Amino acid sequence: MSSSPPPDPPDHPEVLLRKQPLLEHLRLSSLETCEAFKSAMRKVPQQVVVVTTGLYQPELRTWLKRGVTCSTFSSVSYHPPIISFCLNQGSRLHELIKTTGKFAVHVLAQDQVQQGIHFSKPALDSECQFFKVPHVQGEEGLPIILGSLAVFVCDSHSYHGVGDHTVWYGNVTGVSVSETLHDPLIYFVRKFRSVGDEIFITAFETATLPFENWTHEAHLRMAWNYITDHGKEKAVPYIKLGIQKYNEKNRDKIKTGYHETITMFFIHLVSDAIVSSVNANESFEEFLIRNQHLVNKDLLFEYYNKETLFQEDARNRFIEPDKKSLP
């Protein structure tokens, strides 16, 4: 008589999956599954790439050059070499690649945060996205972004729709690899905002954001992200500690240092502008267009006398405005 098979070990995957508590945890509604998926994906580091293509317009005697930032890029096959990336459905780049049949995928370096943010923004029809981006054009008209860690030049292989994205596949026909030792630009998803904001906040928090990109607009973007994510009160420590950490990393470049009154002033004004918004899902670019007063270089002095603002006490603690009250 044959003996019965030995029982599965207690940590065998099939045993684990049969356990009732785990099964109950896995039985999620569609909405719960989407939220759980987002939470899980925040643990997955994302490689940032920019996909570009170009089409010559004989009637205008100009090149239409487009690019878009993607975080869903992977190799599919080594023999032959095939890569894939995803575009949001409705992306204008999708239709352009269908016409050109060619594209280039750029693996961004850690110091190319600005390019990652730039190509994540919607471009106007009349706008040349590459006007201020260092690049060259290959023989077939593909815009190639200079400074990238690697570039894959591809002929389109195929594409298909999956959920809210279109997956593109490309036959790799040419490769360029940088000889520099820069790290790749990688980010962790936070709140599934725009790819540009995800890249920016990760670079800010890790103090890898190039100092030349730490502009007044960048300060506003940082505050807008934290306040939108956490609310004004809970955002304050993120903003304060983040600025101080970034300043410490760049102390050889910082001229004035952290200023408590200026920081709290802009936290208040950004928060007030967010609360006044009629569109809870607006992008930072839309927010800034609607609140141009925030980029006015004289805004501080509408509320403060210079003598008040530049005293040492104002640097170390928040001083209320002495010209007009905060909104």
Side-chain angles (χ1 to χ4, degrees), residues 193-234:
R193 297 196 179 283
S194 75
V195 175
D197 283 308
E198 304 288 1
I199 297 168
F200 171 81
I201 287 295
T202 297
F204 169 71
E205 290 181 341
T206 57
T208 56
L209 180 72
F211 187 73
E212 58 270 23
N213 296 137
W214 187 226
T215 60
H216 177 62
E217 183 177 318
H219 281 74
L220 295 175
R221 181 187 287 270
M222 176 269 298
W224 177 83
N225 271 276
Y226 284 129
I227 295 170
T228 303
D229 287 352
H230 303 290
K232 178 183 176 182
E233 298 307 319
K234 291 184 179 179

Side-chain angles (χ1 to χ4, degrees), residues 11-299:
D11 60 347
H12 190 279
E14 292 182 2
V15 174
L16 292 175
L17 287 174
R18 284 199 298 268
K19 289 186 176 180
Q20 189 65 22
L22 182 58
L23 280 175
E24 290 300 324
H25 178 68
L26 292 175
R27 291 193 186 106
L28 302 173
S29 69
S30 176
L31 180 60
E32 290 174 325
T33 299
C34 288
E35 292 304 313
F37 172 73
K38 291 179 181 179
S39 296
M41 287 302 297
R42 291 179 191 133
K43 310 298 183 183
V44 181
Q46 307 287 318
Q47 174 67 62
V48 182
V49 300
V50 172
V51 181
T52 65
T53 192
L55 175 68
Y56 185 69
Q57 300 172 301
E59 68 282 5
L60 300 176
R61 297 183 180 180
T62 59
W63 282 90
L64 174 60
K65 297 180 286 188
R66 292 292 185 196
V68 67
T69 301
C70 303
S71 61
T72 47
F73 164 75
S74 64
S75 63
V76 176
S77 168
Y78 287 114
H79 304 287
I82 297 174
I83 56 90
S84 72
F85 65 90
C86 294
L87 292 175
N88 287 324
Q89 287 198 1
S91 170
R92 288 180 297 175
L93 192 71
H94 171 73
E95 294 301 321
L96 194 57
I97 293 176
K98 283 173 62 176
T99 301
T100 65
K102 300 179 183 299
F103 54 84
V105 179
H106 304 74
V107 179
L108 297 188
Q110 195 174 68
D111 62 356
Q112 290 182 297
V113 173
Q114 192 59 37
Q115 283 90 327
I117 295 172
H118 173 71
F119 286 105
S120 70
K121 302 175 184 178
L124 300 175
D125 288 335
S126 58
E127 175 188 0
C128 176
Q129 286 181 291
F130 292 83
F131 179 64
K132 295 183 179 180
V133 177
H135 71 287
V136 297
Q137 275 189 268
E139 293 181 2
E140 297 176 331
L142 290 177
I144 305 299
I145 301 170
L146 299 177
S148 303
L149 287 186
V151 181
F152 302 87
V153 176
C154 304
D155 290 335
S156 61
H157 175 283
S158 58
Y159 64 88
H160 63 271
V162 177
D164 56 4
H165 280 66
T166 299
V167 183
W168 272 93
Y169 299 91
N171 294 311
V172 179
T173 60
V175 178
S176 173
V177 181
S178 171
E179 296 181 356
T180 67
L181 298 178
H182 290 162
D183 291 328
L185 182 57
I186 293 174
Y187 77 95
F188 289 88
V189 175
R190 297 164 53 84
K191 293 292 183 180
F192 272 71
R193 297 196 179 283
S194 75
V195 175
D197 283 308
E198 304 288 1
I199 297 168
F200 171 81
I201 287 295
T202 297
F204 169 71
E205 290 181 341
T206 57
T208 56
L209 180 72
F211 187 73
E212 58 270 23
N213 296 137
W214 187 226
T215 60
H216 177 62
E217 183 177 318
H219 281 74
L220 295 175
R221 181 187 287 270
M222 176 269 298
W224 177 83
N225 271 276
Y226 284 129
I227 295 170
T228 303
D229 287 352
H230 303 290
K232 178 183 176 182
E233 298 307 319
K234 291 184 179 179
V236 168
Y238 286 98
I239 294 170
K240 288 185 177 182
L241 293 175
I243 292 174
Q244 292 173 28
K245 177 183 175 182
Y246 187 86
N247 286 355
E248 176 61 24
K249 183 70 176 291
N250 294 277
R251 59 183 179 274
D252 58 322
K253 306 180 187 74
I254 295 289
K255 295 181 179 179
T256 58
Y258 178 79
H259 196 293
E260 177 75 6
T261 297
I262 293 177
T263 299
M264 291 304 300
F265 170 81
F266 278 105
I267 287 175
H268 182 93
L269 262 66
V270 171
S271 178
D272 179 72
I274 291 172
V275 170
S276 302
S277 174
V278 295
N279 179 8
N281 296 315
E282 69 182 354
S283 67
F284 173 72
E285 288 74 27
E286 292 168 333
F287 169 82
L288 207 58
I289 290 171
R290 195 174 52 80
N291 294 281
Q292 280 294 297
H293 66 286
L294 293 174
V295 296
N296 178 2
K297 60 183 178 62
D298 295 320
L299 180 61

Side-chain angles (χ1 to χ4, degrees), residues 299-316:
L299 180 61
L300 272 166
F301 304 115
E302 293 179 13
Y303 291 83
Y304 289 94
N305 286 298
K306 291 184 178 180
E307 295 77 11
T308 302
L309 195 61
F310 294 142
Q311 62 177 303
E312 190 62 26
D313 196 31
R315 181 178 298 279
N316 297 317

